[in-house]
mmCIF file of all heavy atoms in Angstrom:
data_model
loop_
_atom_site.group_PDB
_atom_site.id
_atom_site.type_symbol
_atom_site.label_atom_id
_atom_site.label_comp_id
_atom_site.label_asym_id
_atom_site.label_seq_id
_atom_site.Cartn_x
_atom_site.Cartn_y
_atom_site.Cartn_z
ATOM 1 N N GLY A 206 -214.154 49.065 -162.941
ATOM 2 C CA GLY A 206 -214.214 50.505 -163.179
ATOM 3 C C GLY A 206 -212.996 51.263 -162.690
ATOM 4 O O GLY A 206 -212.967 52.490 -162.737
ATOM 5 N N VAL A 207 -211.968 50.543 -162.210
ATOM 6 C CA VAL A 207 -210.707 51.196 -161.854
ATOM 7 C C VAL A 207 -209.766 50.980 -163.038
ATOM 8 O O VAL A 207 -209.592 49.840 -163.490
ATOM 9 C CB VAL A 207 -210.084 50.578 -160.590
ATOM 10 C CG1 VAL A 207 -208.813 51.341 -160.198
ATOM 11 C CG2 VAL A 207 -211.073 50.568 -159.437
ATOM 12 N N VAL A 208 -209.191 52.052 -163.561
ATOM 13 C CA VAL A 208 -208.286 51.919 -164.697
ATOM 14 C C VAL A 208 -207.166 50.956 -164.310
ATOM 15 O O VAL A 208 -206.492 51.157 -163.300
ATOM 16 C CB VAL A 208 -207.718 53.298 -165.096
ATOM 17 C CG1 VAL A 208 -206.680 53.150 -166.203
ATOM 18 C CG2 VAL A 208 -208.842 54.229 -165.531
ATOM 19 N N ALA A 209 -206.982 49.896 -165.097
ATOM 20 C CA ALA A 209 -206.085 48.810 -164.707
ATOM 21 C C ALA A 209 -204.626 49.138 -164.995
ATOM 22 O O ALA A 209 -204.296 49.705 -166.034
ATOM 23 C CB ALA A 209 -206.485 47.539 -165.441
ATOM 24 N N PHE A 210 -203.756 48.777 -164.047
ATOM 25 C CA PHE A 210 -202.306 48.860 -164.254
ATOM 26 C C PHE A 210 -201.785 47.431 -164.274
ATOM 27 O O PHE A 210 -201.452 46.888 -165.329
ATOM 28 C CB PHE A 210 -201.705 49.753 -163.168
ATOM 29 C CG PHE A 210 -200.237 49.598 -162.872
ATOM 30 C CD1 PHE A 210 -199.361 48.979 -163.764
ATOM 31 C CD2 PHE A 210 -199.709 50.120 -161.691
ATOM 32 C CE1 PHE A 210 -197.999 48.851 -163.464
ATOM 33 C CE2 PHE A 210 -198.354 49.992 -161.390
ATOM 34 C CZ PHE A 210 -197.505 49.347 -162.273
ATOM 35 N N ALA A 211 -201.718 46.763 -163.115
ATOM 36 C CA ALA A 211 -201.283 45.368 -163.058
ATOM 37 C C ALA A 211 -202.368 44.604 -162.301
ATOM 38 O O ALA A 211 -202.440 44.644 -161.076
ATOM 39 C CB ALA A 211 -199.944 45.245 -162.353
ATOM 40 N N SER A 212 -203.211 43.905 -163.049
ATOM 41 C CA SER A 212 -204.466 43.397 -162.483
ATOM 42 C C SER A 212 -204.298 42.417 -161.339
ATOM 43 O O SER A 212 -205.168 42.303 -160.490
ATOM 44 C CB SER A 212 -205.303 42.755 -163.587
ATOM 45 O OG SER A 212 -205.497 43.680 -164.622
ATOM 46 N N SER A 213 -203.184 41.686 -161.277
ATOM 47 C CA SER A 213 -203.025 40.713 -160.196
ATOM 48 C C SER A 213 -202.543 41.377 -158.913
ATOM 49 O O SER A 213 -202.407 40.723 -157.884
ATOM 50 C CB SER A 213 -202.055 39.596 -160.604
ATOM 51 O OG SER A 213 -200.717 40.022 -160.504
ATOM 52 N N LEU A 214 -202.272 42.689 -158.972
ATOM 53 C CA LEU A 214 -201.744 43.413 -157.809
ATOM 54 C C LEU A 214 -202.629 44.587 -157.386
ATOM 55 O O LEU A 214 -202.647 44.952 -156.203
ATOM 56 C CB LEU A 214 -200.347 43.961 -158.132
ATOM 57 C CG LEU A 214 -199.259 42.932 -158.437
ATOM 58 C CD1 LEU A 214 -198.160 43.535 -159.291
ATOM 59 C CD2 LEU A 214 -198.675 42.370 -157.151
ATOM 60 N N ASP A 215 -203.327 45.205 -158.334
ATOM 61 C CA ASP A 215 -204.086 46.429 -158.060
ATOM 62 C C ASP A 215 -205.135 46.200 -156.971
ATOM 63 O O ASP A 215 -205.887 45.229 -157.028
ATOM 64 C CB ASP A 215 -204.853 46.899 -159.317
ATOM 65 C CG ASP A 215 -203.946 47.275 -160.480
ATOM 66 O OD1 ASP A 215 -202.744 47.489 -160.251
ATOM 67 O OD2 ASP A 215 -204.453 47.355 -161.615
ATOM 68 N N GLN A 216 -205.194 47.110 -156.020
ATOM 69 C CA GLN A 216 -206.214 47.022 -154.981
ATOM 70 C C GLN A 216 -206.504 48.426 -154.449
ATOM 71 O O GLN A 216 -205.602 49.207 -154.206
ATOM 72 C CB GLN A 216 -205.749 46.100 -153.854
ATOM 73 C CG GLN A 216 -206.762 45.827 -152.761
ATOM 74 C CD GLN A 216 -208.090 45.219 -153.224
ATOM 75 O OE1 GLN A 216 -209.104 45.400 -152.587
ATOM 76 N NE2 GLN A 216 -208.108 44.526 -154.341
ATOM 77 N N ALA A 217 -207.806 48.746 -154.321
ATOM 78 C CA ALA A 217 -208.210 50.064 -153.828
ATOM 79 C C ALA A 217 -208.260 50.065 -152.308
ATOM 80 O O ALA A 217 -208.473 49.016 -151.692
ATOM 81 C CB ALA A 217 -209.589 50.420 -154.378
ATOM 82 N N GLY A 218 -208.066 51.226 -151.705
ATOM 83 C CA GLY A 218 -208.148 51.322 -150.251
ATOM 84 C C GLY A 218 -208.307 52.766 -149.801
ATOM 85 O O GLY A 218 -208.177 53.697 -150.592
#
Side-chain angles (χ1 to χ4, degrees):
Chain A
V207 184
V208 175
F210 159 18
S212 305
S213 78
L214 297 155
D215 297 343
Q216 185 57 207

